[in-house]
Amino acid sequence: VALLVTGSTGRLGGRIAGRLAASGVEQRLLVREPWRAPRLTGAITMRGGYTDADAVRAAAESIATVLMVSATESADRVDVHTAFIDAVVAAGVRHIVYISFYNAAPDATFSFARDHWHTEQHIRETGVDFTFLRDNMYLDFLPLMLGRDGVIRGPAGEGRVTAVAQDDIADVAAAVLRQPHAHKGATYDLTGGEALSLHDLAAHLSRTTGRPVRYEPETIEEAYASRAGHGAAEWEVTGWVTTYVAIAQGELDGVSEAVERITGHPPLTLQQLPAG
Ligand SMILES: NC(=O)c1ccc[n+]([C@@H]2O[C@H](COP(=O)([O-])OP(=O)(O)OC[C@H]3O[C@@H](n4cnc5c(N)ncnc54)[C@H](OP(=O)(O)O)[C@@H]3O)[C@@H](O)[C@H]2O)c1
C-alpha cells in the first residue's frame, strides 16, 4: 500500500476514497472513529486524529503519498495541520496532496484561506513533494446560505463566486493520487465553470424550492451584528462573514480550466447538482 487517505468519514474524503477503491487503488484510511470508516475494497482502516503523532506515524509507515483533507475549522487549525505534516514527514512520506483553498494567501480576505496558506507554507518548508488543490467554495454548500425567511444575506456586494462541486474535486484528487509523480509541485485552482452572483443563487433557489428567494447585500457591520448571539466563537463568525467579503472583493471569482484538463469533463453546474 503506497497511499494514506484522510477525511474518508467526511463528504470530500469519502468521495475520493470511493473513487480510488473503484479503480483498484489500495489505500490506508486514517480515521478518528473506525466504525464510521467507509468499507471499501483494498482499504485498511487505521485509527488516529491529526494531532495523535504516534498514530499518524504508524499509519504513514512505508507510505509514499498522503492525501491530506484540511481539518474541520478551529482556532488552532494551523497547529493541527502542522502536527500532522510533521508526523507524516517523520514517517518518511515523500508527497503530500493537500486540499487547500482558492487564492490562499497570508492576507486573504477570507480568514480561513489564511490557514490554508500557512499550511501550504509549512509543507513547502519540510521539503517534501506536494500538490495543492486550491478549491473554491463548495458548490454543494451554496444553498446553505439561504436563511429560513427565504433571504440570502451577506456582505458579498455584487461579487461572484466560481464555486466547485465536491464531485469534481474528488475526480481531480483521485486522478492526481493515481499518478502522483505527474503532479509533483503543481498548484491547481479548482473552480466551477460559471461565476455566480448571489442573485443568481437566489434565482436558482427560487426555482428549486418553489418559493421566492432573494439576495439582500449587508454591510460588514450588519453582517457581524446579524451573526452575533448565535453563541459562535469570534474566529468562527469572522470566517462566516469574510467568506462573503471575499466574494465582494472578487477573491473567489475567476474560472480555472483545471477540472476539465485533469478529469476530461467540464465542471458540474449548480443546476446539475441534486436540489438542496
Ligand atoms: N471549500 C469550501 O467551501 C469548504 C467549506 C467547508 C469546509 N471546507 C474544508 O474542506 C474540508 C473537507 O470538507 P468536507 O465537506 O469533506 O468536510 P467533512 O464532511 O466535515 O469532513 C471532514 C473530514 O476531515 C476529518 N477531520 C477533520 N478534522 C480532523 C482531525 N483533526 N483529525 C483527523 N481527521 C479530521 C473528519 O473526520 P471526522 O469524521 O472524525 O470528524 C472528516 O472525515 C473541511 O474539513 C474543511 O477544512 C471547505
Side-chain angles (χ1 to χ4, degrees):
V1 184
L3 176 64
L4 177 68
V5 168
T6 65
S8 64
T9 52
R11 287 165 288 240
L12 183 59
R15 283 172 164 89
I16 297 168
R19 281 160 170 75
L20 291 167
S23 53
V25 177
E26 295 190 335
Q27 53 190 321
R28 278 186 208 155
L29 305 176
L30 181 73
V31 298
R32 294 194 277 198
E33 296 172 308
W35 61 273
R36 292 180 47 237
R39 292 179 192 276
L40 299 169
T41 306
I44 298 163
T45 301
M46 311 280 287
R47 186 196 190 109
Y50 289 161
T51 53
D52 304 334
D54 292 343
V56 172
R57 267 204 303 276
E61 176 84 43
S62 76
I63 290 287
T65 305
V66 170
L67 169 73
M68 179 181 174
V69 173
S70 52
T72 306
E73 291 78 4
S74 65
D76 64 348
R77 185 163 62 158
V78 176
D79 296 336
V80 170
H81 286 172
T82 301
F84 178 77
I85 293 159
D86 290 346
V88 299
V89 170
V93 162
R94 294 192 298 274
H95 189 154
I96 297 175
V97 177
Y98 173 62
I99 303 290
S100 184
F101 195 79
Y102 192 65
N103 280 333
D107 58 351
T109 297
F110 178 35
S111 55
F112 296 156
R114 301 177 191 171
D115 293 353
H116 288 286
W117 185 85
H118 289 293
T119 303
E120 287 186 357
Q121 195 55 18
H122 189 71
I123 293 172
R124 287 187 195 97
E125 285 167 5
T126 65
V128 79
D129 288 328
F130 61 81
T131 308
F132 297 143
L133 305 185
R134 288 185 162 187
D135 312 347
N136 204 307
M137 277 179 70
Y138 298 148
L139 196 58
D140 315 65
F141 290 9
L142 288 189
L144 301 177
M145 289 181 166
L146 178 57
R148 287 212 185 117
D149 57 355
V151 181
I152 300 167
R153 286 191 186 81
E158 299 301 316
R160 290 176 178 270
V161 52
T162 46
V164 59
Q166 289 192 321
D167 277 332
D168 289 328
I169 300 165
D171 285 346
V172 170
V176 166
L177 292 167
R178 282 186 209 107
Q179 284 193 303
H181 294 294
H183 303 277
K184 256 192 214 173
T187 298
Y188 298 123
D189 289 336
L190 301 185
T191 72
E194 50 185 10
L196 300 165
S197 72
L198 297 196
H199 298 292
D200 297 333
L201 175 63
H204 170 78
L205 292 174
S206 294
R207 285 192 295 273
T208 56
T209 64
R211 62 186 184 131
V213 172
R214 63 180 195 283
Y215 163 52
E216 285 181 6
E218 291 177 308
T219 65
I220 294 175
E221 293 68 30
E222 286 167 346
Y224 279 107
S226 68
R227 285 156 182 80
H230 291 314
E234 193 183 329
W235 63 266
E236 194 168 12
V237 177
T238 302
W240 294 341
V241 172
T242 57
T243 334
Y244 294 89
V245 184
I247 295 174
Q249 303 281 348
E251 291 177 34
L252 301 187
D253 198 352
V255 173
S256 159
E257 305 298 324
V259 166
E260 180 148 13
R261 201 173 60 242
I262 296 165
T263 68
H265 63 72
L268 290 165
T269 65
L270 193 54
Q271 282 70 26
Q272 289 167 329
L273 287 187

